[in-house]
Amino acid sequence: MPEDTRTILICSGKGGVGKTTLTANLGIALANSGVTTAVLDADFGLRNLDLLLGLENRIIYTAQDVLDKNCRLDQALVRHKKEPNLALLPAGDPRMLDWMKPEDMKQISKLLSEKFDIVLVDCPAGVEDGFKNALSACKEAIVVTNPELSAVRDADRVIGILNTSDIKPIQLVINRVRPNMMANQEMLSIEDVQSILSLPLLGIVLEDEQVIISTNRGEPLTLSNTKSPAKKCYLNVSQRLTGKDIPIIDPKNEGKSLKDKFMRLMQTKIF
Amino acid sequence: MTLRDLINKLLGRQTSSANTARERLQLVLAHDRVDMSTLTTDLLDKMRKEILDVVAKYVEIDFEEVAVSLETEDRMTALVANLPIKRTLTGEIEFKKNYDTPKKK
């Protein structure tokens, strides 16, 4: 049923904060929990979602071809072999001549909503046309940011634009959190970022080398059996997104050693 | 202030960088957010004059002490006007009183 489909924009403003990685992992996690999920790569200039999902060799058509009636939607959708509930649709080809318009994106998201429960739209970086196209196709948004000045500033610009559209809810994911640096107060805290952007927190994702390793393999963490901090975080985000009341991981409780406990003591507010 | 900040201060060391980051971010965002709302200083001046005209119809204001400014907190920009009243037009108030009249933009 189209009305029930949740079309969620995954955006950040700044590039490289982890939009695509979140989209891939969230897509797999949602599909794995039984929700039919489509991931739409709206970043057709520099598309990467296919790489993270290990589907780069299986793309034949794009959404543009569907709109031009060169193929059916079924033919353009790339089903994930290990997770049949998940399908990828690249919006366009990097060599594409005509850029898409907001109406095109709306059309695609309408087609997808006839087949899927959740559509995740991986938005290009920036706040220009690519972002506005992707935005016009969505009902909800997840803003991804890092606990860094430039990422938070750009996220703020994006939230400003989202607030003037009728997108809601807008939720926040803080990515690449380093508990040790936060404990040493050498990194903006979760509370800092959240209070500055004043968005409901959907989750945090801990910095984790496994993310790079899984990207190398083209196999999202949520698909693998490895035990990793980031994987746990992605699964949490996925469950919270589907309405389950899972507490957000507190980076302060991540270290269990005596040194970590001492660091926590040093963070206590005295006045 | 946290325990760490206190120790840093006592030892004369730099404060932790997260604090610096927070302060810089708040400053730059205040700028960004006002820019986006296109409230220029010209407009603010015009608005200040009109607000004063209206208020001055009813009470006598201490024009020297008037302050009208934009303050941003929690993604919301507020217009904060501080208009000290000298007396009402009937002359009943002799003492100075501060009135904050925050208005949502």
Side-chain angles (χ1 to χ4, degrees):
Chain A
M1 271 178 269
E3 291 80 28
D4 294 350
T5 301
R6 295 173 65 186
T7 331
I8 307 171
L9 181 73
I10 298 184
C11 59
S12 67
K14 187 178 177 294
V17 297
K19 283 183 297 297
T20 309
T21 317
L22 179 73
T23 312
N25 280 289
L26 210 50
I28 295 275
L30 287 167
N32 191 34
S33 67
V35 185
T36 54
T37 308
V39 286
L40 174 63
D41 194 345
D43 193 351
F44 34 89
L46 302 160
R47 67 177 197 208
N48 276 321
L49 190 53
D50 48 350
L51 268 182
L52 296 205
L53 288 166
L55 299 174
E56 69 273 20
N57 294 325
R58 293 182 44 208
I59 295 175
I60 303 167
Y61 299 111
T62 65
Q64 187 74 60
D65 291 311
V66 180
L67 290 178
D68 293 345
K69 302 224 160 47
N70 291 336
C71 70
R72 284 176 285 112
L73 179 62
D74 285 344
Q75 292 173 302
L77 286 170
V78 187
R79 300 253 166 209
H80 200 283
K81 278 203 183 105
K82 290 186 188 153
E83 198 43 81
N85 274 334
L86 182 80
L88 164 77
L89 181 65
D93 197 88
R95 288 157 298 179
M96 209 165 59
L97 293 176
D98 325 315
W99 290 88
M100 287 195 157
K101 293 178 200 72
E103 300 83 70
D104 299 331
M105 290 298 286
K106 271 186 197 148
Q107 187 71 29
I108 296 165
S109 96
K110 205 180 144 206
L111 288 173
L112 287 173
S113 63
E114 281 161 18
K115 286 177 179 284
F116 297 91
D117 298 324
I118 291 188
V119 180
L120 301 176
V121 180
D122 185 20
C123 177
V127 287
E128 295 83 25
D129 289 355
F131 166 68
K132 284 179 179 147
N133 277 348
L135 168 75
S136 66
C138 298
K139 295 180 205 158
E140 301 178 32
I142 296 174
V143 176
V144 189
T145 192
N146 296 348
E148 287 167 29
L149 283 168
S150 50
V152 176
R153 183 193 195 179
D154 293 356
D156 188 75
R157 295 268 330 259
V158 164
I159 296 164
I161 299 171
L162 290 176
N163 277 338
T164 58
S165 66
D166 40 343
I167 290 210
K168 66 181 165 189
I170 307 168
Q171 301 183 87
L172 183 68
V173 169
I174 305 176
N175 197 18
R176 307 193 68 169
V177 169
R178 298 182 183 211
N180 284 334
M181 288 192 77
M182 277 189 186
N184 289 333
Q185 288 179 45
E186 302 293 2
M187 181 174 255
L188 287 166
S189 71
I190 302 298
E191 295 76 31
D192 284 342
V193 178
Q194 209 203 338
S195 74
I196 285 168
L197 298 177
S198 35
L199 284 187
L201 190 60
L202 181 63
I204 67 163
V205 181
L206 299 171
E207 173 89 328
D208 186 350
E209 286 179 1
Q210 289 296 327
V211 173
I212 298 175
I213 297 169
S214 73
T215 311
N216 292 344
R217 298 211 168 102
E219 196 179 76
L221 272 180
T222 42
L223 194 65
S224 67
N225 293 319
T226 42
K227 256 194 154 187
S228 94
K231 179 187 169 185
K232 194 173 132 201
C233 296
Y234 285 127
L235 290 175
N236 267 350
V237 171
S238 148
Q239 286 181 302
R240 289 173 57 85
L241 191 65
T242 48
K244 294 193 187 68
D245 190 18
I246 310 277
I248 285 169
I249 292 164
D250 188 349
K252 291 192 197 98
N253 302 330
E254 281 309 294
K256 293 278 180 281
S257 67
L258 196 63
K259 186 177 166 243
D260 293 317
K261 283 181 185 156
F262 177 70
M263 289 300 185
R264 255 168 261 154
L265 177 72
M266 298 291 279
Q267 270 193 91
T268 331
K269 282 220 160 63
I270 43 176
F271 54 84
Chain B
M1 184 181 262
T2 62
L3 210 51
R4 172 180 292 274
D5 290 335
L6 182 71
I7 292 168
N8 282 344
K9 209 164 214 177
L10 290 177
L11 296 177
R13 287 195 298 213
Q14 269 196 317
T15 52
S16 51
S17 66
N19 278 334
T20 320
R22 194 188 311 115
E23 282 158 19
R24 291 179 59 207
L25 195 56
Q26 277 161 347
L27 265 172
V28 80
L29 287 188
H31 251 262
D32 286 357
R33 286 174 185 173
V34 171
D35 277 352
M36 298 238 320
S37 66
T38 66
L39 256 180
T40 58
T41 36
D42 277 0
L43 261 173
L44 199 63
D45 276 345
K46 237 179 119 182
M47 202 154 63
R48 180 188 292 127
K49 269 191 201 109
E50 282 182 37
I51 291 171
L52 286 184
D53 284 347
V54 171
V55 179
K57 270 206 245 170
Y58 301 96
V59 285
E60 194 175 317
I61 303 166
D62 186 354
F63 281 92
E64 306 274 285
E65 303 283 319
V66 164
V68 178
S69 63
L70 286 174
E71 281 172 28
T72 306
E73 204 174 291
D74 279 345
R75 294 211 64 81
M76 221 177 51
T77 305
L79 177 69
V80 180
N82 201 349
L83 314 172
I85 294 172
K86 272 182 176 165
R87 61 180 75 87
T88 62
L89 290 186
T90 48
E92 272 151 22
I93 305 174
E94 282 107 9
F95 52 90
K96 233 184 222 177
K97 212 170 186 181
N98 286 346
Y99 277 93
D100 275 337
T101 45
K103 279 172 198 132
K104 226 194 268 176
K105 185 186 58 74

